[in-house]
Amino acid sequence: MAILEVLNYPNPFTENTCFQFDHTLVGQEVEALVQIYTVNGRLVKTLSRAFPFSDGTVRQDDCIEWDGLDDYGDQLARGVYLYQVRLRGDGNTVVDGELEKLVILR
């Protein structure tokens, strides 16, 4: 089981970005988590979205949007951040993606 073709668009971004990916949990109810970290490894934002019946793709029409705010509603500073997509499928299957980079320009 895998998460493939992970990207956020636009990247770099100023106002908001959209997380997109492919995965192998086709036909399952999937909960997607996107966790965003500072380059020092501090978790600053967790995004969550449920996909009741997943076809294996999350694209621009059903992407996970983010406005650049942290978990407290504060605007993050410009710079480089890391993120990871994590999926939970039927039967508590968990699939972790690789760490990816994103850039905030303000």
Side-chain angles (χ1 to χ4, degrees):
M1 292 180 237
I3 300 172
L4 312 163
E5 306 294 326
V6 178
L7 64 95
N8 68 295
Y9 181 81
N11 188 16
F13 73 98
T14 55
E15 298 295 320
N16 54 46
T17 192
C18 194
F19 296 95
Q20 304 173 51
F21 52 90
D22 294 334
H23 63 84
T24 57
L25 300 177
V26 177
Q28 297 185 35
E29 182 174 337
V30 173
E31 179 187 11
L33 297 173
V34 179
Q35 295 181 304
I36 300 159
Y37 302 89
T38 65
V39 291
N40 295 329
R42 184 173 60 92
L43 179 63
V44 293
K45 181 69 176 181
T46 299
L47 304 166
S48 176
R49 173 132 179 237
F51 296 92
F53 180 83
S54 182
D55 64 0
T57 63
V58 175
R59 293 285 182 260
Q60 195 160 2
D61 60 336
D62 62 350
C63 69
I64 301 169
E65 292 186 64
W66 181 48
D67 56 9
L69 302 179
D70 67 12
D71 279 332
Y72 301 103
D74 296 325
Q75 194 171 47
L76 291 175
R78 68 182 298 161
V80 176
Y81 293 84
L82 304 173
Y83 69 93
Q84 181 181 36
V85 176
R86 177 173 286 141
L87 301 179
R88 289 190 189 124
D90 293 344
N92 294 324
T93 303
V94 176
V95 180
D96 292 335
E98 300 292 323
L99 282 174
E100 307 286 342
K101 291 181 184 176
L102 64 83
V103 178
I104 298 175
L105 298 176
R106 301 218 192 241

